[in-house]
Amino acid sequence: MTPRVQCSCLLLLCLTAIDHCHSGAQDGVWKGAQSCLERHQVVGVLRQMEKFLKGQEMRFTEGLRIMKSKLAALQNSVSKFPQADQYMAPSTCPALDAPAHGRKFGSKHLVGHEVHFTCNMGYHLVGPATRVCQENGTWSGGTTACKDISECASNPCQNGGTCVEGINQYKCTCPQNWSGSHCQHQTQTAPPEWSVMNDPAFSRKPRCAKVDRAQHCSCDAGFHMSGTSDNSICQDVNECEVYKLDRGVKLCVHACVNVPGSYHCSCPAGYKLLPDGRSCEDVDECLSQQHNCTRGTTCINTGGGFQCVNPECPRSHGNISYVKTSPFQCERNPCPMESRSCHLAPKTVSFHYLSLPSNLQTPATLFRMATAAAPGRPGPDSLRFGIVGGNAKSLFVMQRSDRQTGELILVQALRGPQDVAVDVDMSEYTDRTFQAKHVAKVHILVSAYEF
């Protein structure tokens, strides 16, 4: 008899004996003890059985591990056969370079991944702005290039000025009596630009004193001497114009106001002057309750102002309908099992409002979109992001930043004031099967100012 059979019989015999002796026990006294095993003997047998079962469990686990290792080695060796690859579709595409005078966004070359292209200032895009890695190992679309834009094509010079092309820039040659980068200012022949003349508030008599029979005159700070030695006067120095001529650091971030002997900075409506005396900060009318939004709308702060918004959910059509779950979120109602169009419609629609200054330096990440699984449930194993609507889609690219997050990137500077809308979506897949789609409607409110 093998050891396994012996142990099984011994265990059966032991359990039968224990049951028989226990049934004969009364008031804690074992009857017929001469025909039963002693208690310490039973405990010893049980411990031997416990060790035996642990050993069997370890041997079984080790056997499974060895079988899995051999199976993996066999699969690896089969995949190296030349004839095995001819039935497998390519999983990557060749690397793409950024076009000359342009930039590329996206570093993944796997099937389904996208690469985006933009051009530097002074160039425009020729060819597709987005190319997708296809299942046959090639990129969609044709070659992308960046072509030079003529700087003078928009006729930037005013008042008869002549535009001269440069490298990514232009220069206006102005006619007589006109000046400025676009020949927009009429030249002052007299008095000097930095001096305030013929205004009593900006003129003062000099302080004069005789020293060794000679008269010496001086002006207060912020004034300069003007006129003849016999008839001199102190005229105000227009600090705002002096700094314009020097083309140095801006004296004021927004507007410079000249006052007799000095100057001060001012800010546009909706902004306040900071303690440094030159910088401006937006006033948050929503936070300070300085708005007139009615009940049912939400106040959104913008650069220099505010907006009252009340975004609406998509209209119902067919089996697809939405319900508003928060002021900026809509969720799709449950779909009938047989309605494929309903399951393909966005599961959620969210609204986002961003306030930006003019000419924000690019590229700039404006918005991130991510997925989160419910507790105890696995999340999707693949995500796809894209731009699906809006009034300025070419100004943005949408790319993945990590496994669960996509980023909306501004690639061209925006000049305000203007409102820009862009719609982005995120599709979830599990085992390459579509699960759900989420749409974010991003509204960008661009200020008229650069601060």
Side-chain angles (χ1 to χ4, degrees):
M1 183 181 294
T2 62
R4 180 177 298 177
V5 176
Q6 290 177 352
C7 288
S8 300
C9 293
L10 181 59
L11 177 61
L12 181 60
L13 179 60
C14 179
L15 293 176
T16 301
I18 292 174
D19 183 64
H20 171 73
C21 294
H22 180 68
S23 61
Q26 184 175 3
D27 300 328
V29 179
W30 287 54
K31 296 183 179 180
Q34 64 276 8
S35 62
C36 298
L37 294 174
E38 296 292 337
R39 287 190 180 182
H40 69 275
Q41 292 176 322
V42 173
V43 171
V45 170
L46 292 177
R47 287 178 178 171
Q48 290 181 8
M49 285 302 302
E50 184 179 8
K51 292 180 180 179
F52 170 76
L53 291 176
K54 286 184 178 180
Q56 291 295 318
E57 182 181 7
M58 293 177 62
R59 282 191 289 274
F60 180 75
T61 303
E62 179 65 16
L64 284 179
R65 187 189 65 78
I66 294 173
M67 289 181 66
K68 288 182 180 179
S69 176
K70 290 182 177 181
L71 181 60
L74 181 60
Q75 290 177 337
N76 187 41
S77 63
V78 170
S79 65
K80 294 180 180 178
F81 293 160
Q83 62 272 23
D85 292 337
Q86 65 185 359
Y87 301 106
M88 298 177 62
S91 59
T92 62
C93 292
L96 291 177
D97 296 326
H101 309 294
R103 286 175 288 184
K104 181 189 76 170
F105 297 87
S107 58
K108 301 291 186 181
H109 303 149
L110 301 177
V111 172
H113 281 263
E114 298 178 352
V115 172
H116 309 275
F117 303 98
T118 61
C119 293
N120 297 336
M121 190 71 69
Y123 294 85
H124 68 95
L125 194 68
V126 177
T130 299
R131 299 183 69 181
V132 182
C133 181
Q134 304 175 113
E135 292 187 358
N136 61 1
T138 63
W139 293 96
S140 65
T143 304
T144 299
C146 293
K147 299 296 183 181
D148 186 22
I149 298 175
S150 173
E151 298 290 342
C152 292
S154 60
N155 299 318
C157 302
Q158 305 171 19
N159 302 306
T162 303
C163 183
V164 180
E165 291 279 1
I167 301 176
N168 295 333
Q169 61 182 356
Y170 65 89
K171 182 178 180 180
C172 291
T173 302
C174 303
Q176 189 175 5
N177 298 332
W178 293 95
S179 64
S181 60
H182 298 88
C183 302
Q184 72 274 30
H185 300 304
Q186 194 166 9
T187 304
Q188 299 288 337
T189 56
E193 291 184 9
W194 48 266
S195 179
V196 179
M197 306 287 288
N198 303 322
D199 188 337
F202 290 85
S203 301
R204 294 181 182 179
K205 290 184 179 181
R207 295 192 306 269
C208 299
K210 285 187 177 181
V211 180
D212 296 332
R213 297 182 180 181
Q215 182 167 284
H216 296 272
C217 298
S218 63
C219 296
D220 294 332
F223 293 83
H224 73 99
M225 192 76 70
S226 178
T228 64
S229 58
D230 297 331
N231 188 22
S232 60
I233 191 171
C234 292
Q235 298 287 353
D236 174 65
V237 174
N238 189 337
E239 294 85 357
C240 302
E241 293 298 328
V242 171
Y243 269 80
K244 284 183 181 179
L245 296 174
D246 288 345
R247 300 182 183 275
V249 178
K250 292 180 67 174
L251 198 59
C252 298
V253 172
H254 177 61
C256 179
V257 180
N258 185 56
V259 296
S262 186
Y263 72 96
H264 67 79
C265 299
S266 67
C267 298
Y271 293 84
K272 62 181 179 181
L273 193 66
L274 290 178
D276 64 3
R278 61 180 299 270
S279 304
C280 297
E281 182 181 63
D282 175 52
V283 175
D284 192 336
E285 292 84 359
C286 301
L287 184 63
S288 58
Q289 297 297 316
Q290 300 179 36
H291 63 85
N292 57 358
C293 295
T294 60
R295 188 173 184 179
T297 63
T298 302
C299 179
I300 299 295
N301 185 61
T302 63
F306 63 93
Q307 285 192 10
C308 303
V309 301
N310 182 25
E312 295 182 356
C313 296
R315 293 183 178 180
S316 301
H317 60 281
N319 294 321
I320 306 171
S321 63
Y322 291 85
V323 61
K324 204 168 189 179
T325 56
S326 73
F328 301 105
Q329 177 93 3
C330 297
E331 294 189 10
R332 189 189 66 207
N333 287 314
C335 294
M337 292 296 294
E338 69 281 359
S339 177
R340 176 175 174 79
S341 61
C342 182
H343 287 284
L344 293 177
K347 187 175 182 180
T348 63
V349 178
S350 56
F351 303 87
H352 308 267
Y353 296 86
L354 307 177
S355 179
L356 295 184
S358 275
N359 296 322
L360 178 68
Q361 186 174 358
T362 59
T365 299
L366 302 184
F367 175 76
R368 288 184 173 88
M369 198 172 187
T371 183
R377 296 182 61 185
D381 52 29
S382 178
L383 296 174
R384 293 183 185 176
F385 299 92
I387 298 176
V388 295
N391 58 8
K393 295 190 290 184
S394 62
L395 303 178
F396 305 89
V397 296
M398 188 74 181
Q399 69 176 24
R400 189 196 309 268
S401 60
D402 57 38
R403 185 173 177 272
Q404 293 184 324
T405 307
E407 293 180 336
L408 178 66
I409 301 176
L410 176 68
V411 295
Q412 292 188 32
L414 298 173
R415 186 185 297 273
Q418 64 170 316
D419 290 356
V420 178
V422 58
D423 297 345
V424 297
D425 74 349
M426 176 182 68
S427 298
E428 300 176 349
Y429 291 82
T430 300
D431 294 333
R432 297 189 177 182
T433 302
F434 175 81
Q435 299 295 322
K437 179 168 64 176
H438 307 272
V439 171
K441 293 181 172 291
V442 184
H443 297 265
I444 301 170
L445 313 171
V446 187
S447 168
Y449 310 104
E450 298 186 15
F451 44 83

